[in-house]
Amino acid sequence: MTPPPFSLPRRSLVLAGAAAALLPLRQAVAQTAAAGGDWLQMVQAQHALVAKSFDKLLASGNATYTTRDQLVHALAYQLTAHSVAEENVLYPAIAMAGMVNESDKLYLDQAHAKVMNAQLEMQSRLKDKGNWQEAARALQAAVLQHAKEDEEARLYPQLQARLSPGENALLTQNFMREFRTVGLRRMTG
Ligand SMILES: [Fe+2]
């Protein structure tokens, strides 16, 4: 039996779902730190996990409504936690390094992605009528272009090159701290 379209799940289930969705992203940060990696490697690892979550969702074509709903929400938790850590630490650093227009564009792209994410959540709740695959593919294209082409291939390496080793080390610490706290806020707020 499928739940009514706009019923709210129990709080304990929401918290468990959020914790499970964020666990791989937390582990990626911890493992990268343990191996002596920096903020850019942490971000790359998280991007790869988000890309996997898109693949999993898009491969769930015939899954039950409940399974798809869980995959949509897991993806949303991951995108939120990752994006807020970037918006609070990395985009300000890009602006402070003299790339103000580039930083502005990253914020704007991420705001658009949040709208697209909300569209996906709405479409996935409409069941028979909703075209959630189309919404998921549009969000996937926007997020991966932003992550791979704009951030990983261009702006993050430029930021890293403009900072001293000490500044990069501080950015790594700040990214870790922010991701940890944004995950907590998301789960307890
Ligand atoms: Fe990113």
Side-chain angles (χ1 to χ4, degrees), residues 43 47 82 86 91 110 146-147 151 156:
V43 167
H47 285 169
H82 174 76
E86 288 184 319
Y91 298 174
Q110 214 128 264
H146 170 93
E151 293 179 342
Y156 285 170

Side-chain angles (χ1 to χ4, degrees), residues 69-101:
D69 208 40
Q70 286 169 348
L71 292 172
V72 167
H73 283 112
L75 177 67
Y77 290 129
Q78 292 181 349
L79 287 173
T80 298
H82 174 76
S83 71
V84 175
E86 288 184 319
E87 288 167 10
N88 289 358
V89 176
L90 301 181
Y91 298 174
I94 288 175
M96 288 187 283
M99 297 184 283
V100 175
N101 290 340

